[in-house]
Amino acid sequence: MTGSPRLEFRDVSKRFANARANSRQGGGFVVAVDGVSLSIADGEVVSLIGPSGCGKSTLLNMGAGLDPVSSGQVFVDGELVTRPNRHVAFMLQKDLLLPWRTIVENVELGQEIQGAPGRERRQRALDLLAKYRLSDFVAHYPHQLSGGMRQRAALARTLAVDPSVLLMDEPFSALDAQTKMVLQQDLARTLADTGKTALFITHDLVEAVALSDRVLVMSQRPGRIIEEIVVEAGDRDNPMKRRQHPRIAEYVVRLMGLLQIEQAAA
Ligand SMILES: Nc1ncnc2c1ncn2[C@@H]1O[C@H](COP(=O)(O)OP(=O)(O)OP(=O)(O)O)[C@@H](O)[C@H]1O
Ligand SMILES: [Mg+2]
């Protein structure tokens, strides 16, 4: 993991106009993110945790170029991010599959927009769907699939465009505990196999430590990074195994402590 970072935030802040601003926030603005600097190297997987409303999604949206920064800069592969671009893929809690397209057509969408030839993009979509055990459902529509299957299809769609960086905003939080573990395993294997760089938000502390190389902790709004925990608990390609590592509990307790301190200070 050498060379320039894949994803970098340099002193990034975000203010939103606030119709009901109080004097403490001042100037009619809510400061959602306050001077965040962070750097993610090639192949690193980093998770971001913090209290609700602390600015996590706002930060990720700026990384994806979906929301402009108020100050500071975001770079992907050294290029300034000013709008959504093909090097960054975004995955959300809601799968956002288009209901009128079949599963394979949904997975092809990003490549279609990029102008990839029809046969090539179909083959890539089918290969990815096979990898996520969805070969029997390629011609189904999203409503015919379970939540876990839809999220696997969304993962296939995210990877189909071969992004440099994956940004994920609570990708599995709507799933039941067992389905979630299966998806975590799928994601972890994929990240290990492809060497992709990822930043993901979660409220699940075990998920954060089981899947990532580092966990970043944000403060209450205005969100700042207050702590970084480097996870050393064996390979991260097998979260089921990692969960059983003796250090995991230690990390989770530490993160719980950090979040409680922040909540109590609110
Ligand atoms: N488009 C917007 N306009 C105004 N304020 C916004 C907008 N988007 C977010 N905010 C405010 O910015 C703050 C941070 O919101 P954000 O969605 O980033 O939090 P979060 O950490 O992702 O929370 P959660 O864990 O609940 O998803 C909140 O106070 C929110 O009300
Ligand atoms: Mg959020």
Side-chain angles (χ1 to χ4, degrees), residues 3-263:
S4 58
R6 279 263 180 229
L7 174 66
E8 190 184 4
F9 289 79
R10 265 189 225 162
D11 201 16
V12 170
S13 296
K14 179 72 183 181
R15 292 183 303 273
F16 288 110
N18 179 10
R20 291 183 301 137
N22 62 36
S23 54
R24 221 153 44 101
Q25 286 158 337
F29 288 101
V30 170
V31 179
V33 173
D34 189 18
V36 167
S37 293
L38 67 94
S39 176
I40 304 183
D42 182 33
E44 246 195 322
V45 177
V46 177
S47 55
L48 184 63
I49 64 165
S52 184
C54 75
K56 302 180 296 297
S57 297
T58 304
L59 192 69
L60 225 66
N61 290 342
M62 292 189 286
L66 294 166
D67 214 354
V69 300
S70 302
S71 64
Q73 292 145 325
V74 182
F75 298 92
V76 169
D77 290 333
E79 299 225 346
L80 191 66
V81 173
T82 53
R83 63 174 86 93
N85 69 83
R86 62 188 294 270
H87 304 294
V88 179
F90 206 58
M91 192 173 159
L92 302 170
Q93 181 179 341
K94 283 186 71 172
D95 57 61
L96 302 179
L97 296 170
L98 301 176
W100 60 88
R101 291 179 77 124
T102 62
I103 293 302
V104 70
E105 286 166 356
N106 264 288
V107 174
E108 281 181 71
L109 184 64
Q111 300 173 84
E112 203 176 304
I113 292 166
Q114 289 175 3
R119 206 191 260 181
E120 193 181 292
R121 67 178 192 242
R122 174 62 52 107
Q123 194 53 51
R124 184 163 167 78
L126 291 173
D127 289 348
L128 278 162
L129 286 165
K131 191 169 166 188
Y132 296 118
R133 308 174 299 286
L134 289 170
S135 292
D136 292 343
F137 299 90
V138 295
H140 284 57
Y141 288 88
H143 76 271
Q144 297 173 305
L145 270 61
S146 71
M149 290 158 87
R150 284 202 301 270
Q151 231 21 4
R152 295 209 302 269
L155 191 55
R157 187 191 49 190
T158 306
L159 289 159
V161 293
D162 199 22
S164 268
V165 177
L166 272 88
L167 299 177
M168 292 172 281
D169 194 347
E170 303 190 45
F172 309 139
S173 62
L175 303 174
D176 66 84
Q178 285 163 37
T179 307
K180 188 173 171 175
M181 274 198 250
V182 174
L183 265 292
Q184 288 170 349
Q185 200 77 1
D186 280 328
L187 175 66
R189 291 230 170 96
T190 300
L191 293 173
D193 291 350
T194 58
K196 294 271 179 222
T197 307
L199 174 61
F200 74 96
I201 297 173
T202 180
H203 283 284
D204 178 337
L205 305 183
V206 176
E207 178 172 277
V209 287
L211 264 71
S212 46
D213 298 310
R214 279 191 287 151
V215 183
L216 303 176
V217 184
M218 274 178 93
S219 64
Q220 289 277 7
R221 203 188 72 225
R224 297 190 194 97
I225 309 282
I226 52 159
E227 185 79 36
E228 173 198 87
I229 292 184
V230 176
V231 182
E232 283 168 2
D235 289 343
R236 61 160 157 80
D237 64 343
N238 188 344
M240 299 251 190
K241 196 168 158 210
R242 223 188 199 199
R243 278 165 191 274
Q244 296 161 38
H245 193 284
R247 276 225 175 107
I248 292 291
E250 202 182 294
Y251 289 127
V252 170
V253 169
R254 204 162 133 205
L255 292 171
M256 278 166 61
L258 284 162
L259 291 177
Q260 274 162 15
I261 288 162
E262 282 306 310
Q263 274 154 16

